[in-house]
Amino acid sequence: MSQHLTPEEEVLSDVVACQLVIKQILDVIDVIAPVEVREKMAGQLKSIDFSAGNAASDPVTRRAVQKAIALIELKFSRPEEAH
């Protein structure tokens, strides 16, 4: 980690690292969690009230939550692959 990155590159690096970790977590959840738990994950995110509070004033947060819901639903709604 001796390479010097610009602040923008550092943020991008953080985002990519988070995406990789999230993919690993989703893979584990896919194996160990029952369907009800998976559905609850997306449901909890969908229940965030964007009409008030900090989330309402932050378009980045709103978009991040929308992407998280889509990712969870995409990950767990696809047909099971044959092994």
Side-chain angles (χ1 to χ4, degrees):
M1 289 211 172
S2 61
Q3 183 179 5
H4 295 289
L5 300 175
T6 66
E8 184 177 304
E9 290 171 328
E10 193 64 45
V11 170
L12 183 57
S13 174
D14 291 348
V15 169
V16 171
C18 289
Q19 289 174 326
L20 292 170
V21 171
I22 289 166
K23 183 189 180 318
Q24 294 298 312
I25 291 169
L26 288 173
D27 288 346
V28 170
I29 290 169
D30 194 25
V31 172
I32 65 172
V35 173
E36 297 81 17
V37 172
R38 300 174 199 169
E39 291 172 352
K40 185 175 181 182
M41 289 169 58
Q44 287 174 332
L45 292 173
K46 288 178 182 178
S47 71
I48 294 173
D49 182 9
F50 286 106
S51 64
N54 292 336
S57 63
D58 184 5
V60 173
T61 300
R62 180 187 299 258
R63 184 66 179 134
V65 170
Q66 291 169 342
K67 286 182 176 183
I69 292 167
L71 180 62
I72 290 169
E73 289 181 340
L74 175 67
K75 172 72 178 173
F76 298 125
S77 65
R78 67 180 179 199
E80 293 295 324
E81 297 176 10
H83 292 118

